[in-house]
Amino acid sequence: MIGGANYLDWMRNLRIKLSYKNCEYLLNEHNPKIYDDATDEEKSAHVKYMDESNKVYCIMMASMSFDLQNTFQNTWSFEMNLQLAKTFHKRARQERFKVVKSLMPCKLKEGCYACAHVQLMKSYIDRLENINIVFDENLTVNLVYGSLQRLYDNFIKSYHLNSMEKTVMELYNLL
């Protein structure tokens, strides 16, 4: 249920639900105006839009906190989406900064297990992906390699010499 801090998770889940119902477009399109001289086809399309928009409104309202329901009562999905994005975008930016600030200096400490370190880095990367910062697998692996101690230099050289393409989880198993 959306209530603030989990906006991005909520939006991702909402988009999945709406994609399943082929209604995701309603978050990004204004309610079209219909004129008196509209054709039957345009009127039919408008009725379909209004019906689908009402369903999206109900899905959105049902998954919000009570306070947000009161705020967005009688607001179409497009306008609701715009207002929510404005409200919660700043929080997402702050979350991104906090995670990047933790990820960048992340180095394997002497005496610590490499597997636990890889899991920690993977958790940071997963958190960034949850707020739509996408890493390709090669960048993720390179970040992990760059965080390892010199003790792992031969392992890294072998990786590069053998042109191995591994996922982070495969790397985790190798380490």
Side-chain angles (χ1 to χ4, degrees):
M1 182 165 289
I2 186 175
N6 62 347
Y7 167 73
L8 293 168
D9 292 335
W10 176 82
M11 182 53 73
R12 185 179 52 257
N13 287 327
L14 176 66
R15 287 190 181 278
I16 291 168
K17 289 173 195 168
L18 298 180
S19 291
Y20 175 75
K21 296 182 177 290
N22 295 318
C23 293
E24 185 179 1
Y25 73 95
L26 293 164
L27 294 175
N28 305 316
E29 289 184 15
H30 275 289
N31 184 1
K33 295 189 188 309
I34 192 78
Y35 300 100
D36 293 336
D37 62 344
T39 65
D40 288 342
E41 187 177 297
E42 289 172 329
K43 290 177 183 175
S44 177
H46 182 73
V47 168
K48 181 179 185 267
Y49 177 93
M50 297 303 286
D51 182 50
E52 288 177 344
S53 189
N54 187 52
K55 290 175 185 172
V56 170
Y57 167 82
C58 291
I59 291 169
M60 291 175 80
M61 292 297 280
S63 60
M64 289 182 175
S65 67
F66 181 73
D67 291 338
L68 286 174
Q69 286 175 349
N70 284 334
T71 301
F72 292 111
Q73 197 170 8
N74 302 318
T75 305
W76 287 104
S77 54
F78 174 78
E79 287 82 13
M80 196 183 313
N81 184 39
L82 286 177
Q83 290 177 24
L84 287 168
K86 280 182 193 175
T87 303
F88 296 113
H89 179 72
K90 183 177 179 184
R91 290 184 187 156
R93 191 173 31 150
Q94 291 169 340
E95 173 70 7
R96 180 179 59 230
F97 175 76
K98 188 171 98 178
V99 175
V100 168
K101 187 177 176 183
S102 298
L103 174 65
M104 296 317 295
C106 199
K107 297 283 185 194
L108 176 62
K109 292 175 179 57
E110 194 171 324
C112 293
Y113 291 105
C115 292
H117 173 71
V118 171
Q119 284 179 330
L120 175 65
M121 290 195 72
K122 179 73 171 127
S123 73
Y124 289 140
I125 291 165
D126 288 346
R127 283 174 57 192
L128 288 170
E129 287 178 349
N130 285 340
I131 55 175
N132 298 323
I133 307 298
V134 180
F135 289 81
D136 73 358
E137 201 64 45
N138 289 330
L139 177 58
T140 304
V141 168
N142 288 330
L143 285 171
V144 171
Y145 280 150
S147 73
L148 297 176
Q149 299 169 337
R150 296 189 61 107
L151 170 72
Y152 292 92
D153 283 354
N154 287 335
F155 177 80
I156 295 168
K157 285 178 189 173
S158 172
Y159 173 86
H160 290 296
L161 287 173
N162 293 316
S163 299
M164 296 167 36
E165 295 290 326
K166 300 287 182 190
T167 66
V168 172
M169 294 318 294
E170 291 169 331
L171 176 62
Y172 170 84
N173 288 330
L174 288 174
L175 290 169

